[in-house]
Amino acid sequence: MAEILTSATRLTHIPLANGVLIPRLGLGTFRARDDNVRKAVLCALQCGYTHIDTASIYKNEVEIGEAVRSSGIERASLFITSKVSPFEQGISASFIGQVQPNWTRKCRAIGVSNYTEKHLNELISSSEIKPMVNQVEVHPWLTQTQLRNFCNLHGIVVQAYSPLGVGSLLKDSTVQGVASKCKRSPAQVLLRWGIQNDMVVLPKSVHQEYIVENGDIFGFSLSVEDMASLNSLDRGHHFCWSAEGVL
């Protein structure tokens, strides 16, 4: 069922192809484990985040669930992005009838991660339902402009992981210059760049001060000149990994 997009939610959410609203900001939890991830998620929820990103391979879904329950926030008001490992996608025929219906009832939207334009073309041509999100590495050193344009054309929302360039872009002189001009932190500038490029951004932190800082990105905007300066930093640099070699 389509959710209502108001003038207020338009600033903080993006409508998916099925009408579900996905928050533009989410807390990344890669490599966050045990009590660290519990405290990080609880902190994020308490300061206004409504989107948490995880994956089965992160081995922290249980702890995230515990943090959500202890927060007292209704589960229905939260958006949890999770990802299934390629090793978990094969199901024996005897279990398909039992497992698949539960998946279709519990998922509000389906998507992919680390898909290139080639991969998306292959998937779209052979699927009844197009993916609604594509989670990939994006930041000013890796703007992924062609891939983002392709996703926009097909109604696929881009989720940007490592939007801070695993911390390396915080020291970039251009980023620091824009931050000084805006009286904001380099992290806030990088996240705002992603928001203004119509992406979902997923900064990861387990530190309360950074979680709070990263959440404060909806009260300012970058100028056309600032956006152009940040866009010009593109050098096709992956801090994580590239799926270009995956057939």
Side-chain angles (χ1 to χ4, degrees), residues 81-139:
T81 294
S82 193
K83 299 170 287 289
V84 179
S85 166
F87 302 105
E88 299 169 318
Q89 292 179 23
I91 304 174
S92 65
S94 60
F95 288 102
I96 289 178
Q98 300 174 40
V99 178
Q100 200 169 17
N102 289 330
W103 289 353
T104 56
R105 284 197 298 270
K106 293 181 181 296
C107 292
R108 298 168 69 188
I110 57 175
V112 294
S113 182
N114 293 312
Y115 267 48
T116 64
E117 185 175 338
K118 171 180 175 291
H119 300 145
L120 288 171
N121 264 320
E122 291 175 350
L123 179 60
I124 291 171
S125 66
S126 60
S127 303
E128 293 182 11
I129 303 175
K130 289 190 293 188
M132 295 176 199
V133 299
N134 183 20
Q135 186 177 129
V136 292
E137 179 183 354
V138 189
H139 43 71

Side-chain angles (χ1 to χ4, degrees), residues 30-236:
F30 179 56
R31 290 180 177 167
R33 303 287 295 276
D34 304 321
D35 205 38
N36 278 338
V37 75
R38 288 190 196 92
K39 290 179 178 178
V41 170
L42 189 57
C43 172
L45 296 176
Q46 290 173 339
C47 66
Y49 287 65
T50 57
H51 184 181
I52 307 296
D53 178 75
T54 183
S56 61
I57 202 169
Y58 297 177
K59 306 299 183 186
N60 59 16
E61 291 174 310
V62 170
E63 291 82 358
I64 289 173
E66 292 169 350
V68 168
R69 286 189 290 275
S70 66
S71 74
I73 298 173
E74 288 187 15
R75 174 64 181 85
S77 66
L78 303 177
F79 199 105
I80 309 295
T81 294
S82 193
K83 299 170 287 289
V84 179
S85 166
F87 302 105
E88 299 169 318
Q89 292 179 23
I91 304 174
S92 65
S94 60
F95 288 102
I96 289 178
Q98 300 174 40
V99 178
Q100 200 169 17
N102 289 330
W103 289 353
T104 56
R105 284 197 298 270
K106 293 181 181 296
C107 292
R108 298 168 69 188
I110 57 175
V112 294
S113 182
N114 293 312
Y115 267 48
T116 64
E117 185 175 338
K118 171 180 175 291
H119 300 145
L120 288 171
N121 264 320
E122 291 175 350
L123 179 60
I124 291 171
S125 66
S126 60
S127 303
E128 293 182 11
I129 303 175
K130 289 190 293 188
M132 295 176 199
V133 299
N134 183 20
Q135 186 177 129
V136 292
E137 179 183 354
V138 189
H139 43 71
W141 283 13
L142 183 68
T143 60
Q144 302 262 37
T145 303
Q146 183 174 330
L147 176 60
R148 289 193 288 113
N149 287 340
F150 178 89
C151 288
N152 290 337
L153 180 65
H154 290 274
I156 301 170
V157 171
V158 173
Q159 289 184 317
Y161 70 74
S162 297
L164 309 181
V166 296
S168 295
L169 268 69
L170 301 178
K171 302 174 184 177
D172 182 276
S173 60
T174 299
V175 174
Q176 291 182 338
V178 173
S180 178
K181 176 183 173 183
C182 296
K183 295 182 172 54
R184 293 282 178 161
S185 72
Q188 289 173 323
V189 164
L190 289 165
L191 296 175
R192 187 66 205 180
W193 173 85
I195 295 293
Q196 289 184 215
N197 273 312
D198 217 24
M199 291 182 282
V200 172
V201 291
L202 302 169
K204 179 255 177 161
S205 182
V206 295
H207 302 287
Q208 179 176 345
E209 63 270 31
Y210 296 142
I211 293 171
V212 173
E213 177 184 289
N214 293 344
D216 186 19
I217 56 173
F218 296 103
F220 76 105
S221 60
L222 301 175
S223 68
V224 172
E225 293 77 17
D226 292 337
M227 289 293 290
S229 294
L230 295 170
N231 287 334
S232 70
L233 297 177
D234 186 30
R235 58 189 71 179

